[in-house]
């Protein structure tokens, strides 16, 4: 518990570790509006993965190691439709390639040893990454806090899905429409800057132009090249 | 054989996510690299908005998500909190699917 930060007590008793855990707690709180989706989509993935022949253990292991919804759904759908293991692997890897630029962008916020950074960086997912950047600078506590919350619900939801099946169709309650709106809300503050607005418009145009022609995942990676506009003076 | 998919995809994703914090670490980036990093957030967010609104498998799919982004966008315009924006978008899509 970090006493110094909240009270008039001397800040000397507030260790770095205590500061970090209090920031992570704030991060968990920041992720609370998102709790329903990973649970329901996680259960949906668990059910689909068992149908696809991955087995309950395989489904849970994939959620625990890959921890990226769209890639996991793509891989399981391809396996279920008989598309083969090569197609499933390539599709999932392309979908997750966007985590390279995302990871490079937040590299400097992770403290500690290389092993600790390796472990904690696994909590990078679109939602934790986007929420962590909300204030204009990436925040370690938000990324890790939101990431832990989503990780537990995603892996737990997957396990539930392999046993009891779908909890509730996420699309019936419109959850698939909630996420583009979330990302739009997180994008909005950037649009006040003309340069960021131009970057966003170019990125959106690249994505839209490539969507009909390239495998899923490629448009997002290509769109990240719009950040080269940031070099313009 | 599905374990091969699980193993390879898992290993690749772990490497992707770790690439920045493990390879770059806390090293100070040069100013030009920082400018790139700063511009990445609006680029990535715009791409996510587009793929999650109209993305399909090698296709542009126009469905209830589009109505959700319109009402959700209006909520953003009115400076509604994040959770309200998400509920407005989800409720819009859900209601249209109901009728």
């Amino acid at each position: 518990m970090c006493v110094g930060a909240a009270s008039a007590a001397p800040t000397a008793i507030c260790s770095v570790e205590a500061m970090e855990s209090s920031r992570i707690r704030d991060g968990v709180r920041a992720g609370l509006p998102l709790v329903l989706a990973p649970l329901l989509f996680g259960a949906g993935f668990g059910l689909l993965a068992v149908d696809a022949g991955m087995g309950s253990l395989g489904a849970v292991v994939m959620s625990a190691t890959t921890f990226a919804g769209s890639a996991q759904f793509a891989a399981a759908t391809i396996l279920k439709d008989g598309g083969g293991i090569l197609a499933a692997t390539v599709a999932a890897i392309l979908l997750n390639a966007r985590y390279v630029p995302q990871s490079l962008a937040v590299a400097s916020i992770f403290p500690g040893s290389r092993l600790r950074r390796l472990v904690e960086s696994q909590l990078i997912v679109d939602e934790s990454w986007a929420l962590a950047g909300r204030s204009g600078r990436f925040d370690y506590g938000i990324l890790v806090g939101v990431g832990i919350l989503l990780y537990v619900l995603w892996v737990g939801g997957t396990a539930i899905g392999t046993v009891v099946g779908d909890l509730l169709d996420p699309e019936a309650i419109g959850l698939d429409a909630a996420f583009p709106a979330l990302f739009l809300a997180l994008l909005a503050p950037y649009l006040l800057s003309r340069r960021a607005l131009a970057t966003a418009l170019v990125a959106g145009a690249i994505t839209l132009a490539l969507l009909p022609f390239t495998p899923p995942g490629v448009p997002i990676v290509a769109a990240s090249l719009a950040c080269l506009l940031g070099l313009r003076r | 054989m599905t374990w091969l998919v699980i193993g390879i995809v898992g290993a690749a994703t772990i490497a992707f996510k770790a690439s920045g914090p493990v390879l770059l670490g806390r090293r100070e980036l040069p100013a030009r690299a920082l400018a790139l990093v700063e511009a990445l957030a609006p680029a990535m967010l715009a791409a996510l908005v587009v793929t999650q609104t109209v993305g399909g498998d090698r296709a542009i799919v126009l469905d209830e998500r589009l109505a959700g982004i319109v009402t959700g966008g209006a909520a953003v315009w009115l400076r509604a909190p994040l959770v309200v924006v998400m509920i407005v978008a989800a409720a819009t899509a859900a209601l249209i699917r109901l009728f």
Side-chain angles (χ1 to χ4, degrees):
Chain A
M1 174 69 196
C2 177
V3 186
S7 70
T11 48
I13 58 171
C14 186
S15 70
V16 174
E17 286 76 17
M19 287 276 285
E20 276 168 9
S21 60
S22 115
R23 286 169 62 200
I24 291 170
R25 267 200 303 278
D26 289 344
V28 171
R29 227 167 279 138
L32 288 178
L34 305 179
V35 293
L36 202 52
L39 200 61
L40 297 185
F41 280 110
F45 171 73
L47 179 69
L48 174 71
V50 170
D51 276 353
M54 294 168 76
S56 303
L57 184 62
V60 173
V61 168
M62 189 174 205
S63 282
T65 52
T66 297
F67 183 38
S70 53
Q72 292 180 231
F73 271 104
T77 304
I78 292 170
L79 288 175
K80 181 168 176 256
D81 297 344
I85 61 168
L86 183 66
T89 305
V90 170
I93 287 177
L94 282 177
L95 273 165
N96 281 346
R98 69 182 183 284
Y99 285 120
V100 174
Q102 287 188 16
S103 171
L104 294 174
V106 294
S108 65
I109 66 170
F110 287 90
S113 70
R114 200 172 283 247
L115 179 65
R116 180 177 161 191
R117 299 198 301 259
L118 170 70
V119 171
E120 291 186 343
S121 66
Q122 299 311 309
L123 297 170
I124 301 171
V125 275
D126 293 328
E127 293 83 1
S128 67
W129 185 85
L131 280 171
R134 204 180 170 193
S135 66
R137 288 178 56 187
F138 285 101
D139 184 282
Y140 166 80
I142 304 275
L143 196 150
V144 171
V146 174
I148 289 173
L149 183 68
L150 297 185
Y151 187 86
V152 169
L153 293 166
W154 179 246
V155 178
T158 304
I160 292 170
T162 62
V163 180
V164 302
D166 249 343
L167 294 173
L168 174 67
D169 178 11
E171 292 192 3
I173 56 170
L175 268 184
D176 55 331
F179 281 89
L182 167 70
F183 294 124
L184 181 64
L186 294 169
L187 173 64
Y190 289 101
L191 302 182
L192 298 174
S193 135
R194 282 182 63 185
R195 179 182 293 187
L197 175 65
T199 306
L201 287 175
V202 171
I206 293 173
T207 311
L208 207 53
L210 293 182
L211 263 180
F213 307 108
T214 62
V218 173
I220 300 185
V221 176
S224 69
L225 294 177
C227 76
L228 291 171
L229 286 178
L231 292 179
R232 219 180 35 171
R233 284 176 199 282
Chain B
M1 284 298 260
T2 57
W3 279 104
L4 209 56
V5 178
I6 296 166
I8 295 173
V9 172
T13 308
I14 288 169
F16 290 163
K17 291 184 176 182
S19 58
V22 169
L23 298 180
L24 290 179
R26 311 208 76 174
R27 202 171 302 165
E28 284 280 321
L29 290 175
R32 288 174 72 80
L34 271 179
L36 279 183
V37 163
E38 274 172 24
L40 183 67
M44 188 69 72
L45 288 168
L48 285 168
V49 170
V50 172
T51 55
Q52 303 232 346
T53 305
V54 296
D57 187 6
R58 290 191 206 217
I60 290 177
V61 178
L62 305 178
D63 59 16
E64 294 85 356
R65 295 173 296 176
L66 206 55
I69 199 81
V70 171
T71 56
V76 173
W77 188 259
L78 295 170
R79 295 169 190 273
L82 279 186
V83 64
V84 174
V85 170
M86 292 178 74
I87 289 171
V88 166
T92 304
L95 280 175
I96 293 176
R97 283 181 185 141
L98 205 59
F99 297 110

